[in-house]
């Protein structure tokens, strides 16, 4: 049997990794600008952490977790998302004691046993950010603006921001009852999953993509019409600050999210370019999560960006790094000179490639072309003797004579 990767688990090949670095660097710089620091938490946690945070009646916990019993008879799970583990670490290390407002970001693989398709994988990567300790709507808007700036920074202006409010434990139960009343009369038109959700998590029926369910839930009562006074005020203020910062957004009253910890503001950044995998980033406020996990009553809000989906949206742009210079040699006699130059140039930050195997000049030049080197130089006996060589700019064939001195070459290449 051929040894291949597991279904839904992808290799990120060298030609792709430039795109990933570009995305990761943009996120890091915007998050750091906003005062967020990186936290790295394990990819595996006790299963109970996810049941208690994401919720027993969610698709993630019911059917998508990679859970197994380890050799010590403990039930452990590969993290399906980042917020739960970050909040577990936040509580365990009492990060709240250092500063009442904590801003954290993280980046790494997540695991969900979903049906793989374009933009949906079983191992995927998220870049996430979380603020804890503030319930002011201003922080909701800062998080939203930071997310929108990230997409702007990487040149993606098509995905758009949608927001909603899921209310709080005060107002959601009444909404849930109103929705159940509405659904009860339409139960027969719902898919099998939604019939089950009706009993466990009725809000999720609003999010179901099955055409019969979309049709049956048209005209369902909206959470926004059932918000209590405080939640209403909160949502209005978030919108006020979004308007103040001229951030474009729309309200999607049917957005319910697939994790149970959310309260009040929820949001998604959606694209029309990835078929049914339309959310490229998503998040929301979770004011009850930290206390639910055994920590103090501290509110929080955050989001996660799906790296694979963003990489897909960046499309054909080329992110590979190319050598500044390819050094070709006429024969073995010039190897010392070529090596000395390469070593010195690398130490001064110039990307250099040379031929390792003493191949023919033609084959060396083919490699220079393939690597898309910006410049090439051929070193033979004459060049070694004269201490000078012709540096060819590969894009137009123009040639500059430069002394074979590391600083001279570095300066010439950087100038051009
Ligand atoms: P989520 O909506 O489950 O939220 O995931 C966030 C993003 O991860 C999605 O919008 C999508 O871009 C990406 N994603 C999710 N599943 C897959 C998959 N199977 N394949 C590829 N990409 C995927 C959360 O995970 C929350 N922890 C977000 C959050 C942070 N809320 C508050 N703080």
């Amino acid at each position: 049997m051929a040894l291949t990767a597991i279904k839904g688990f992808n290799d990120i090949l060298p030609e792709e990794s430039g795109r990933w670095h570009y995305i990761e660097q943009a996120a890091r710089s915007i998050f750091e600008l906003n005062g967020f620091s990186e936290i790295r938490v394990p990819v595996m946690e006790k299963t109970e952490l996810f049941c208690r945070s994401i919720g027993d009646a969610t698709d993630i916990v019911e059917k998508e977790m990679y859970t197994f019993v380890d050799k010590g008879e403990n039930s452990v799970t590969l993290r399906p998302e980042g917020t739960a583990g970050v909040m577990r670490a936040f509580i365990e290390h009492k990060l709240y004691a250092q500063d009442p407002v904590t801003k954290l970001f993280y980046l790494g693989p997540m695991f969900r046993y979903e049906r793989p398709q374009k933009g949906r994988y079983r191992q995927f990567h998220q870049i996430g950010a979380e603020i804890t300790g503030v319930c002011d709507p201003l922080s909701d808007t800062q998080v939203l603006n930071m997310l929108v700036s990230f997409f702007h920074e990487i040149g993606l202006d098509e995905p758009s921001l949608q927001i909603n409010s899921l209310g709080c434990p005060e107002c959601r139960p009444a909404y849930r009852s109103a929705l159940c009343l509405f659904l009860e009369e339409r139960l027969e038109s719902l898919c099998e999953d939604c019939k089950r959700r009706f009993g466990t998590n009725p809000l999720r029926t609003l999010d179901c993509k099955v055409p019969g369910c979309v049709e049956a839930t048209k005209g369902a009562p909206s959470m926004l019409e059932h918000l209590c006074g405080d939640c209403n005020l909160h949502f209005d203020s978030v919108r006020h600050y979004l308007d103040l910062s001229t951030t474009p957004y729309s309200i999607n009253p049917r957005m319910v999210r697939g994790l149970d910890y959310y309260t009040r503001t929820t949001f998604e950044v959606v694209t029309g370019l990835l078929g049914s995998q339309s959310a490229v980033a998503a998040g929301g406020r979770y004011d009850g999560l930290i206390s639910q996990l055994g920590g103090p009553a501290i509110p929080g809000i955050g989001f996660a960006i799906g790296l694979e989906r963003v990489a897909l949206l960046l499309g054909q742009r080329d992110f590979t790094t190319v050598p500044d210079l390819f050094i070709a040699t006429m024969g073995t006699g010039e190897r010392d000179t070529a090596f000395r130059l390469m070593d010195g140039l690398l130490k001064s930050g110039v990307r250099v490639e040379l031929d390792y195997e003493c191949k023919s000049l033609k084959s060396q030049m083919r490699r220079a072309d393939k690597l898309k080197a910006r410049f090439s130089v051929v070193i033979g006996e004459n060049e070694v003797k004269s201490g000078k060589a012709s540096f060819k700019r590969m894009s137009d064939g123009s040639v500059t004579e430069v002394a074979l001195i590391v600083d001279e070459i570095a300066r010439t290449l950087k100038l051009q």
Side-chain angles (χ1 to χ4, degrees):
M1 190 180 62
L3 281 175
T4 54
I6 302 168
K7 187 175 169 195
F9 286 62
N10 296 315
D11 299 308
I12 312 300
L13 298 176
E15 69 238 35
E16 264 292 291
S17 54
R19 186 186 312 263
W20 283 55
H21 293 159
Y22 173 74
I23 300 168
E24 289 164 7
Q25 269 158 20
R28 277 178 192 283
S29 81
I30 288 187
F31 295 178
E32 279 164 7
L33 178 78
N34 280 270
F36 286 69
S37 320
E38 184 174 358
I39 182 165
R40 300 189 187 200
V41 292
V43 292
M44 196 151 69
E45 298 273 358
K46 292 177 184 163
T47 303
E48 194 195 343
L49 171 69
F50 302 115
C51 301
R52 275 174 54 185
S53 51
I54 299 169
D56 282 321
T58 56
D59 282 356
I60 296 181
V61 172
E62 272 186 348
K63 6 184 219 200
E64 295 170 3
M65 294 210 301
Y66 278 89
T67 297
F68 60 96
V69 177
D70 71 7
K71 291 194 166 67
E73 300 289 303
N74 309 298
S75 177
V76 292
T77 296
L78 286 175
R79 61 180 182 191
E81 58 104 50
T83 313
V86 170
M87 290 308 127
R88 193 264 314 131
F90 173 82
I91 299 166
E92 188 171 336
H93 302 286
K94 298 193 172 56
L95 297 187
Y96 48 86
Q98 295 166 18
D99 190 338
V101 178
T102 312
K103 300 182 189 175
L104 303 168
F105 79 88
Y106 53 91
L107 191 161
M110 310 289 158
F111 306 85
R112 294 184 194 175
Y113 194 81
E114 294 194 82
R115 202 164 40 77
Q117 62 180 88
K118 184 179 170 191
R120 186 166 71 195
Y121 312 102
R122 290 182 174 171
Q123 175 180 298
F124 60 97
H125 296 74
Q126 287 185 341
I127 312 179
E130 318 282 352
I131 299 194
T132 57
V134 225
C135 50
D136 195 294
L138 205 145
S139 64
D140 301 39
T141 310
Q142 184 185 0
V143 163
L144 290 168
N145 284 348
M146 185 166 90
L147 183 56
V148 171
S149 307
F150 162 78
F151 282 100
H152 184 69
E153 172 76 17
I154 59 169
L156 290 180
D157 287 319
E158 181 271 337
S160 58
L161 174 66
Q162 297 187 346
I163 62 167
N164 191 22
S165 174
L166 289 180
C168 68
E170 291 290 309
C171 49
R172 206 179 307 155
Y175 170 64
R176 196 184 146 119
S177 305
L179 181 65
C180 284
L181 261 177
F182 174 90
L183 292 174
E184 218 164 10
E185 289 169 16
R186 295 159 177 84
L187 215 51
E188 279 319 302
S189 326
L190 300 181
C191 71
E192 287 311 307
D193 268 346
C194 283
K195 282 189 183 129
R196 194 174 39 79
R197 286 178 187 135
F198 174 75
T200 53
N201 204 348
L203 270 69
R204 292 292 297 167
T205 56
L206 299 178
D207 201 29
C208 182
K209 306 282 185 298
V210 175
C213 299
V214 175
E215 190 55 38
T217 55
K218 265 189 193 151
S222 151
M223 181 70 233
L224 292 179
E225 284 153 16
H226 290 75
L227 293 179
C228 61
D230 285 348
C231 287
N232 224 339
L233 213 63
H234 188 95
F235 194 55
D236 281 349
S237 303
V238 172
R239 295 177 54 196
H240 165 74
Y241 288 124
L242 281 172
D243 292 339
L244 263 188
S245 41
T246 65
T247 303
Y249 68 92
S250 59
I251 296 174
N252 176 1
R254 287 176 69 96
M255 182 202 303
V256 287
R257 312 280 302 114
L259 306 98
D260 277 358
Y261 49 63
Y262 291 115
T263 49
R264 297 192 168 167
T265 317
T266 51
F267 51 91
E268 289 185 349
V269 175
V270 295
T271 174
L273 304 174
L274 292 180
S276 56
Q277 306 313 309
S278 57
V280 280
R285 180 165 275 291
Y286 44 86
D287 291 346
L289 177 63
I290 296 169
S291 55
Q292 212 171 296
L293 293 177
I298 293 176
I301 179 166
F303 62 76
I305 300 164
L307 242 162
E308 282 80 357
R309 293 187 189 172
V310 174
L312 278 170
L313 284 186
L314 285 175
Q316 296 310 310
R317 277 161 63 182
D318 188 6
F319 293 93
T320 43
T321 44
V322 297
D324 296 308
L325 176 65
F326 187 91
I327 305 178
T329 47
M330 294 295 281
T332 45
E334 292 82 38
R335 302 276 287 169
D336 280 6
T337 307
F339 175 73
R340 185 180 51 76
L341 288 176
M342 177 177 85
D343 188 49
L345 286 166
L346 284 173
K347 286 172 180 157
S348 17
V350 176
R351 285 195 207 99
V352 187
E353 286 283 340
L354 54 63
D355 163 51
Y356 294 101
E357 293 166 83
C358 295
K359 291 210 171 127
S360 70
L361 189 57
K362 198 168 158 202
S363 133
Q364 293 184 58
M365 293 320 289
R366 261 205 307 269
R367 186 158 159 74
D369 270 335
K370 186 157 183 253
L371 292 173
K372 301 197 179 95
R374 288 175 53 232
F375 285 84
S376 69
V377 63
V378 179
I379 308 217
E381 257 177 52
N382 288 344
E383 283 73 19
V384 174
K385 230 184 267 160
S386 67
K388 279 195 241 146
S390 300
F391 286 72
K392 181 164 117 183
R393 189 157 62 195
M394 301 293 274
S395 59
D396 59 6
S398 63
V399 165
T400 314
E401 182 102 332
V402 186
L404 293 180
I405 298 169
V406 167
D407 290 351
E408 289 279 309
I409 302 171
R411 200 174 41 246
T412 309
L413 296 187
K414 279 177 185 160
L415 282 179
Q416 300 211 26

